[in-house]
């Protein structure tokens, strides 16, 4: 039999439709929550359509349109009843997806609940095994690596293993700077609290400075290096030396001429100690701030006090909260040392100029409003005892952050 062009076209269209419909049916079955149920629905659909085509359509050709239409509508009702839930999902899912994300599977992420439970039970080896299972799938996960190092250092007291974990973590290039800084700070704390090893802690902090020079993390690490305590202070309370306190004077209220106040620290000696300390640790802001207060309150040298504070204020990457604190302290010292109103006003105004939208700027505006009242309550005489300028070695040896 010879096929004409129209017949061939119809056959091709039919084959394409069969392939598309068949592919769609297979796709819906594979992606369904209940594949067997969807397969049954497609089978029932094929049976209903087949019966309608076989029984109802010939009735239209024989002129019995009413019966044919009735059978067709009946078949349509069966199909609607079969697919009603699926049709409703097709309409509702686009709107529901705006709230629940639709059928998009959630991103895989590690879970450490089992390992944390093992840790609480004291089963540290098992906890580490569970953590490693997660890290095999997520090798750069921050929480897992830090939890592993914590168990190694605090629970097993295996500082070399914890140090290897932290070093491996820091070597991974994808981590945020604050996470790397936290890891090195933690390792330094473990070297101090567990190992009583100040030099190892210093190396951890110096590594942080090396990784992020000229950053707020480097400043914080430098500050901690300057305040690494003595080994005796790192011991637990049970291990520290016991000091015997002798009994003090009794019935102080019945005696005359006794001053129960504790002996004050000699500011001259303290200033010299701070200057010596800052020569070794120029980024120690705590010591520099105390030195500034001594310069202003004990020696009346506002110029030297301001110089110490300005060094910290102008140091790059200082936290904004500390800069505001130092500007307020400078204003306090200016008032106590007899500076004029305009000078103090300009100092407080610098807080506002740094960032007018911050809460600190609002507080500074309030301070400007009551600044004249502060002058009345706090301004002191500028008189200083003769010869006091030459008593302090710190007045002639100023250290800068650069050296």
């Amino acid at each position: 039999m010879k096929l004409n062009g129209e017949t061939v076209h119809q056959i091709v269209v039919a084959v394409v439709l069969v392939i598309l419909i068949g592919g769609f049916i297979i796709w819906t079955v594979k992606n369904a929550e209940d594949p067997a149920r969807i397969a049954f629905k497609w089978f029932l659909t094929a049976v209903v359509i087949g019966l309608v085509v076989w029984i109802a359509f010939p009735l239209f050709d024989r002129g019995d349109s009413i019966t044919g239409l009735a059978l067709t509508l009946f078949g349509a009702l069966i199909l609607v009843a079969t697919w009603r839930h699926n049709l409703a999902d097709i309409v509702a899912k686009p709107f529901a997806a705006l709230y629940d994300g639709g059928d998009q599977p959630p991103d895989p992420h590690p879970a450490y609940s089992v390992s944390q439970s093992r840790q609480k039970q004291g089963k540290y080896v098992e906890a580490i095994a569970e953590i490693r299972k997660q890290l095999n799938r997520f090798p750069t996960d921050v929480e897992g690596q830090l939890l592993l190092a914590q168990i190694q250092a605090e629970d097993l007291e295996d500082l070399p293993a914890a140090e290897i974990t932290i070093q491996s973590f820091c070597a991974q290039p994808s981590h945020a700077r604050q996470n790397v800084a936290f890891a090195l700070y933690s390792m330094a704390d473990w070297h101090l609290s567990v190992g009583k090893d100040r030099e190892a802690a210093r190396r951890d902090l110096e590594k942080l400075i090396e990784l992020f020079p000229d950053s707020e993390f480097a400043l914080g690490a430098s500050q901690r290096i300057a305040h690494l305590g003595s080994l005796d202070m790192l011991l637990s309370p049970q291990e520290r030396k016991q000091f015997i306190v002798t009994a003090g004077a009794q019935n102080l209220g019945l005696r005359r001429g006794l001053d129960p106040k504790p002996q004050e620290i000699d500011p001259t000696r303290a200033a010299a100690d701070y200057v010596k300390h800052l020569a070794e640790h120029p980024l120690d802001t705590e010591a520099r701030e105390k030195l500034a207060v001594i310069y202003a309150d004990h020696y009346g040298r506002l110029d030297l006090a301001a110089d110490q504070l300005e060094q910290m204020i102008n140091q790059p990457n200082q936290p904004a909260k500390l800069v505001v604190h130092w500007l307020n302290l400078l204003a306090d010292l200016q008032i106590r040392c007899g500076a004029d109103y305009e000078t103090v006003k300009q100092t407080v105004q610098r807080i506002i100029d740094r960032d007018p939208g911050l809460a600190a700027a609002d507080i500074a505006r309030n301070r400007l409003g009551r600044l004249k009242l502060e002058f009345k309550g706090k301004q002191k005489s500028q008189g200083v005892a003769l010869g006091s300028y030459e008593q302090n070695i710190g007045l002639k040896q100023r250290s800068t952050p650069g050296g």
Side-chain angles (χ1 to χ4, degrees), residues 149-169:
Q150 178 193 8
I151 294 175
Q152 291 170 330
E154 296 181 359
D155 298 323
L156 298 178
E157 297 187 357
D158 188 354
L159 291 180
E163 193 164 12
I164 292 173
T165 301
I166 294 298
Q167 289 175 352
S168 174
F169 172 80

Side-chain angles (χ1 to χ4, degrees), residues 79-334:
L79 294 180
V80 170
T82 302
W83 295 100
R84 66 186 186 278
H85 295 298
N86 304 88
L87 294 174
D89 288 343
I90 292 174
V91 176
K93 273 189 176 181
F95 299 98
L98 297 175
Y99 301 95
D100 59 15
D103 295 331
Q104 187 70 22
D107 294 332
H109 62 277
Y112 298 104
S113 56
V114 175
S115 56
Q116 290 171 337
S117 176
R118 296 289 184 272
Q119 181 188 16
K120 293 178 180 178
Q121 295 169 0
K123 301 177 180 179
Y124 305 123
V125 176
E126 295 180 14
I128 289 177
E130 292 294 335
I131 294 173
R132 293 195 184 280
K133 288 180 182 178
Q134 299 297 321
L135 291 178
N136 288 336
R137 297 178 56 201
F138 308 94
T140 61
D141 182 63
V142 176
E143 181 184 2
Q145 294 180 86
L146 295 182
L147 179 59
L148 173 60
Q150 178 193 8
I151 294 175
Q152 291 170 330
E154 296 181 359
D155 298 323
L156 298 178
E157 297 187 357
D158 188 354
L159 291 180
E163 193 164 12
I164 292 173
T165 301
I166 294 298
Q167 289 175 352
S168 174
F169 172 80
C170 294
Q172 296 171 344
S174 59
H175 298 301
R177 298 199 306 173
Q178 58 266 29
N179 290 334
V180 176
F182 178 79
L184 290 171
Y185 277 138
S186 299
M187 194 67 242
D189 289 338
W190 293 327
H191 273 132
L192 291 173
S193 61
V194 179
K196 314 298 187 295
D197 190 342
R198 283 183 296 164
E199 290 305 315
R202 180 189 295 273
R203 290 195 300 270
D204 296 326
L205 297 172
E206 289 175 346
K207 178 66 174 177
L208 180 55
I209 298 173
E210 177 186 344
L211 289 176
F212 309 117
D214 300 324
S215 69
E216 59 180 303
F217 305 111
L219 291 175
S222 299
Q223 181 78 4
R224 291 196 62 179
I225 289 174
H227 288 272
L228 285 175
S230 64
L231 183 61
D232 182 62
M233 293 303 295
L234 301 176
L235 298 175
S236 62
Q238 294 79 10
E239 298 172 326
R240 292 177 185 169
K241 295 180 181 178
Q242 301 295 322
F243 296 93
I244 300 176
V245 180
T246 58
Q250 303 295 320
N251 301 321
L252 290 177
L254 302 178
R255 301 186 181 186
R256 295 181 180 181
L258 290 179
D259 185 3
K261 295 182 180 179
Q263 185 178 2
E264 296 183 358
I265 298 175
D266 180 12
T268 302
R269 181 175 179 180
D273 290 340
Y274 287 140
V275 169
K276 182 178 179 181
H277 177 80
L278 288 170
E280 183 178 356
H281 304 286
L283 296 179
D284 186 355
T285 55
E286 182 179 343
R288 195 172 294 279
E289 180 180 327
K290 291 179 179 178
L291 179 60
V293 173
I294 293 176
Y295 281 162
D297 288 345
H298 181 66
Y299 292 103
R301 291 296 301 270
L302 180 60
D303 56 335
L304 296 179
D307 175 69
Q308 297 298 321
L309 293 175
E310 290 290 356
Q311 289 183 47
M312 299 185 292
I313 292 169
N314 297 321
Q315 178 73 29
N317 302 306
Q318 291 284 13
K321 183 178 181 180
L322 285 179
V323 174
V324 170
H325 165 70
W326 293 324
L327 285 170
N328 276 313
L329 176 59
L330 178 56
D332 291 340
L333 297 181
Q334 288 171 339

Side-chain angles (χ1 to χ4, degrees), residues 12-25:
V12 171
V13 171
V15 171
V16 171
L17 287 176
V18 169
I19 293 174
L20 292 176
I21 294 173
F24 177 72
I25 291 173

